[in-house]
Amino acid sequence: MAAVGGSSPPEAKDGEPQREAIPDPDSQWGYIENSDTGRARRMRGGESWFLVDLDWYKQWEVYVREGDEDPSTIPGCINNAKLFEDNINWQLKKGLVEGEDYVLLSSTAWTLLVSWYGLEHGQPPIERKVVDWRGNCEVEVYPVELLLAQHSDMDKTHTAEFSQTDSIDLVLRTAQDQFVVSPQEETRLWVKNAEGSFERLCNTRVSLRTASLKSGQLVVMETRSKDGTWPSQQTRAGSSATKEEEEFHGQPGICGLTNLGNTCFMNSALQCLSNVPQLTEYFLKNRYLDELNFCNPLGMKGEIAEAYADLVKQAWSGRHRSIVPNVFKTKVGHFASQFLGYQQHDSQELLSFLLDGLHEDLNRVKKKEYVEQCDAAGRPDQEVAVEAWQNHKRRNDSVIVDTFHGLFKSTLVCPDCGNVSVTFDPFCYLSVPLPVSHKRVMEVFFVSMDPRRKPEQHRLVVPKKGKISDLCMALAKHTGVSPERMMVADVFSHRFYKIFQLDESLSTILDRDDIFIYEVSGRSSITENTREDVVIPIYLRERTPARDYNSSYYGLMLFGHPLLVSVPRDRLSWDALYHILLYRLSRYVTRPSSDDEDDGDEKADVEGGKNIPKPGNVAGGSSQDPGPEQAGPSSGVASGSRAPTDSSPGPSHWPQRTRRKHLFTLQTVNSNGTSDRSNFNEDTQAQPYIAIDWDPEMKKRYYDEVEAEGYVKHDCVGYVLKKAPVRLQECIELFTTMETLEKENPWYCPNCKQHQLATKKLDLWTLPETLIIHLKRFSYTKFSREKLDTLVEFPIRDLDFSEFVIKPQDESAPELYKYDLIAVSNHYGGLRDGHYTTFACNKDSGQWHYFDDNSVSPVTENQIESKAAYVLFYQRQDVASRLKTKTQPGQSDPPAPPAYDPISESMDVN
């Protein structure tokens, strides 16, 4: 670049040769001072004006204004010597002031004066640019002098002058010329600020003034290394590569990503995206540099695009076995706080953020205009679709749109007025549902009234949207016990968390809950041959010595299985209840001999004992889930059947228990089994809970813990619901099936003027070059979360979308609707934990590889399909042909790999 102040003396206006004749003084004054061409002319940004020594100009002014014809008053050649530091470098003096040291002349006025009087021999003209800064034009007398250096040798600098209106790109090109760096090599600039630190000059399209560059600042040019890294990053990392790493040369793209701590989801998404050929070529060939959008308020100031470009260039340099994506991870966390830290996340969610971030950082639309979405209003689909796509492109135009965006047709129908709304909406990926079974498998424990029978574990198939009564009916088929004689309870930590009513929904029961179904006596009707019974919840507690100085105090700790026990309501006493419970516990509690206890006749006690007043209804548990722990058969769930209510006095008025030497004592407690309810003024309608309190010594002698915890498995536990594999096409069909909107997401009908639960149908109008299909394996409802591990069979090549695209098709180009698989993001594990990996086809070699963080290994096509497949990447066949022609002209197609053979081990079978 030539220095701003250095140029040869100008010629006369319009390239005319110097004129020998000097006009008369009045004419000279008119030419130089008039408003059209002279000093009075208004300045315009970008044009050149010239500095003239004030003393010489005043002499000329006296000559032409006074008309003195004395030869000694005629000014000689224009002499600006007083304005320069010396006559060697012709450096302008500092601190010159207009009107005191010099005057400014327009280009036309300067040319005329030089043609009349000439310029002192050897002196350069002092040409300066006019800077237009927000409508205020001024002459830039002193250009910006920058010190240019290379990152490899910052001690060696070169001084160059620039106007404040010059772009940073001009500084970059000047540095490339000065240090003989090819424009094809990727370079970037850093400026040293007043604090001594370096700051990136990211946006090369802005001016020096916008970038706040001042004279004397050091600007360092950095050149990307052959391995795709920047020398400054290696310096900050403080580590140098080994000789073996420096000499490594491998297949470009076959490069692992280090797991930084639960970042396998990010690695999987990056590997998939990195193996989209046209996107990777876009970054490798630096086409992104001209499209970085630094001023987009919806973008990330170009930082996400640059960080991703760095990863791509390193991975595809062929000089790394594995790279550490810590810079990219930091950038993602900075712009998306949900990805801060090192928790596990979803690869599809990261992919969605990344595609959106790259799009906005590379959006060619610098100022988005407002575009209103228009309804079809009866117009032809073709017309509305073209209009919708044009409107989309007016605001969104990037390589991401070119590669991944397609168009939906959305049809909404109002159920009341029949109004039909048709719109066309862009999409970046398809989130397709998996066919979901309407059945649910639940495991429960059945507790019989027969004390000799151990609890039975059952595996029941029930309607997913069924009720507690459905669970009881399913169990009745296995046990022969009527559903009317069953109560369902959720047991947690040796206590009843909740006792269910028959009409409650099964969705309130989570898979991790322990469900117990108790057999109770029939009480649906009362005849002369049956007595009405009440069901009492029973807890087991053990006295434990307290840990304080008062050894006489005993604490109480729950243990074992709680029970629901039917007791005759009209003949209830403490002694009768004691013997009933002793009978119910007889399988694992040894009955003492007559020497140990005064054991009376059970029937006599029931009939002759003091009556216990009638309790109220069975009550439910707390409203909050105590935690995700899963106990064995000792914790479970129950379905509630209400016992008739009674207005008898509550537990605080119960008679005193008979004083005998028993194995255990009985105590009324609250629903948690932690406090004696007789100490409180309880509601008379409240359901009493009874605790069996054991002395440690008595428990040790008479209570068999091993037998108490024992249970048996019913034959049904060995059954497994067969999960048949589904075809990917079935998922796409389900995606395009008409559905009714949910209550949480109604549609506002412009005709009815109110929100309606309209029917909605999505159809595919146009498909993108690269189609991303997200399999919705994770299901979230109000009461449950689950992962669907259904095997989805997807084709490796020739996925045909012609039957799903409703836009009139070009029959002569079937490849426009056929896709080949290029990458798969896999998820192994469940909801709370898991691991992500990637299958991807290398764009250069055509070989499939398995990416597991920093480990990469080749695989065959018959290894790709599995239950872990989560996000699929398909490339349209015409795009693949086009890219292949560009990269490998004249080369024949590689042989087709062997046909896919299903892996039977990956399926659940009966």
Side-chain angles (χ1 to χ4, degrees), residues 236-415:
R236 289 198 299 271
S239 61
S240 57
T242 63
K243 184 177 180 181
E244 181 184 358
E245 291 172 337
E246 290 177 348
E247 295 178 352
F248 174 77
H249 285 80
Q251 171 71 43
I254 310 305
C255 177
L257 295 173
T258 300
N259 192 323
L260 305 175
N262 284 328
T263 57
C264 56
F265 73 96
M266 182 183 77
N267 293 347
S268 179
L270 288 172
Q271 293 288 15
C272 287
L273 210 56
S274 172
N275 282 278
V276 176
Q278 60 269 48
L279 183 65
T280 295
E281 286 295 316
Y282 170 85
F283 283 99
L284 293 180
K285 294 181 178 178
N286 292 336
R287 292 200 293 267
Y288 75 99
L289 293 175
D290 295 329
E291 296 183 346
L292 284 169
N293 192 333
F294 298 100
C295 49
N296 185 354
L298 300 178
M300 287 77 174
K301 302 177 183 178
E303 294 184 30
I304 287 294
E306 288 189 323
Y308 178 74
D310 287 348
L311 273 181
V312 170
K313 289 176 181 291
Q314 293 177 49
W316 290 85
S317 68
R319 294 174 179 263
H320 301 278
R321 288 187 175 88
S322 179
I323 56 180
V324 183
N326 48 8
V327 175
F328 181 83
K329 171 71 170 62
T330 302
K331 293 291 183 184
V332 169
H334 176 71
F335 290 105
S337 59
Q338 67 268 32
F339 297 115
L340 277 172
Y342 297 94
Q343 294 79 29
Q344 180 64 274
H345 291 282
D346 191 304
S347 68
Q348 191 272 332
E349 291 179 1
L350 188 279
L351 186 66
S352 177
F353 162 77
L354 184 54
L355 288 171
D356 185 62
L358 289 175
H359 160 64
E360 297 296 355
D361 272 2
L362 300 168
N363 200 343
R364 302 172 188 120
V365 179
K366 298 302 184 284
K367 186 176 181 181
K368 295 189 177 186
E369 56 181 304
Y370 173 76
V371 176
E372 186 173 352
Q373 186 181 29
C374 297
D375 194 86
R379 293 179 294 163
D381 284 352
Q382 188 76 24
E383 176 185 337
V384 182
V386 170
E387 179 186 84
W389 187 251
Q390 290 175 345
N391 287 341
H392 179 58
K393 292 280 284 186
R394 284 160 64 186
R395 293 173 54 85
N396 305 279
D397 185 14
S398 70
V399 66
I400 302 300
V401 175
D402 299 340
T403 307
F404 299 103
H405 282 207
L407 204 62
F408 282 140
K409 178 187 176 183
S410 175
T411 306
L412 289 161
V413 180
C414 178

Side-chain angles (χ1 to χ4, degrees), residues 523-532 644:
R523 56 197 179 281
S524 57
S525 63
I526 300 176
T527 67
E528 61 181 52
N529 296 324
T530 61
R531 295 176 299 175
E532 183 184 2

Side-chain angles (χ1 to χ4, degrees), residues 555-567:
L556 291 165
M557 182 175 67
L558 289 168
F559 71 93
H561 298 256
L563 291 171
L564 288 176
V565 178
S566 299
V567 180

Side-chain angles (χ1 to χ4, degrees), residues 31 86 194 410 715:
Y31 285 132
D86 55 58
S410 175
D715 292 342

Side-chain angles (χ1 to χ4, degrees), residues 441-458:
V441 177
M442 297 183 67
E443 290 189 357
V444 301
F445 291 94
F446 174 68
V447 181
S448 172
M449 288 182 65
D450 184 350
R452 296 166 298 178
R453 294 178 57 185
K454 293 182 179 181
E456 279 185 343
Q457 184 182 19
H458 290 257

Side-chain angles (χ1 to χ4, degrees), residues 22 80 335 463 471 675 752:
I22 301 178
N80 292 327
F335 290 105
L471 186 64
S675 60
C752 298

Side-chain angles (χ1 to χ4, degrees), residues 833-859:
D833 54 14
H835 184 60
Y836 288 91
T837 64
T838 302
F839 289 113
C841 180
N842 186 273
K843 69 180 182 66
D844 297 332
S845 67
Q847 170 68 48
W848 281 89
H849 287 81
Y850 182 64
F851 297 84
D852 185 357
D853 289 333
N854 57 359
S855 173
V856 185
S857 56
V859 293

Side-chain angles (χ1 to χ4, degrees), residues 82-240:
K82 296 179 181 178
L83 304 181
F84 295 109
E85 293 281 2
D86 55 58
N87 58 0
I88 300 175
N89 296 319
W90 302 104
Q91 191 76 20
L92 203 64
K93 288 181 178 179
K94 301 297 182 183
L96 297 178
V97 179
E98 182 183 4
E100 296 181 8
D101 302 299
Y102 64 88
V103 294
L104 290 170
L105 296 179
S106 66
S107 178
T108 303
W110 166 259
T111 302
L112 290 174
L113 283 178
V114 171
S115 67
W116 297 334
Y117 299 99
L119 180 62
E120 190 71 28
H121 180 70
Q123 283 189 12
I126 309 176
E127 180 181 0
R128 294 294 184 264
K129 285 185 178 179
V130 175
V131 178
D132 185 356
W133 184 247
R134 295 179 181 175
N136 182 28
C137 292
E138 57 185 38
V139 174
E140 187 179 32
V141 176
Y142 294 100
V144 179
E145 296 181 351
L146 298 178
L147 303 177
L148 306 181
Q150 281 186 293
H151 183 272
S152 56
D153 187 8
M154 286 190 280
D155 294 331
K156 183 179 179 181
T157 62
H158 167 73
T159 303
E161 291 184 346
F162 302 92
S163 167
Q164 292 187 44
T165 59
D166 288 338
S167 68
I168 301 298
D169 184 61
L170 179 60
V171 179
L172 180 60
R173 285 187 277 111
T174 303
Q176 288 173 335
D177 292 342
Q178 175 63 34
F179 300 116
V180 196
V181 175
S182 170
Q184 279 69 43
E185 293 192 62
E186 190 175 354
T187 54
R188 61 184 187 181
L189 296 179
W190 298 80
V191 60
K192 189 176 184 179
N193 54 35
E195 291 77 20
S197 60
F198 285 88
E199 182 181 347
R200 271 280 313 281
L201 294 173
C202 299
N203 191 354
T204 60
R205 293 187 286 271
V206 300
S207 66
L208 272 70
R209 185 163 188 169
T210 302
S212 301
L213 293 187
K214 307 295 182 183
S215 290
Q217 282 189 288
L218 176 65
V219 176
V220 178
M221 182 183 70
E222 181 182 21
T223 305
R224 191 188 289 273
S225 305
K226 292 182 179 180
D227 64 355
T229 61
W230 293 102
S232 59
Q233 291 178 348
Q234 296 175 353
T235 302
R236 289 198 299 271
S239 61
S240 57

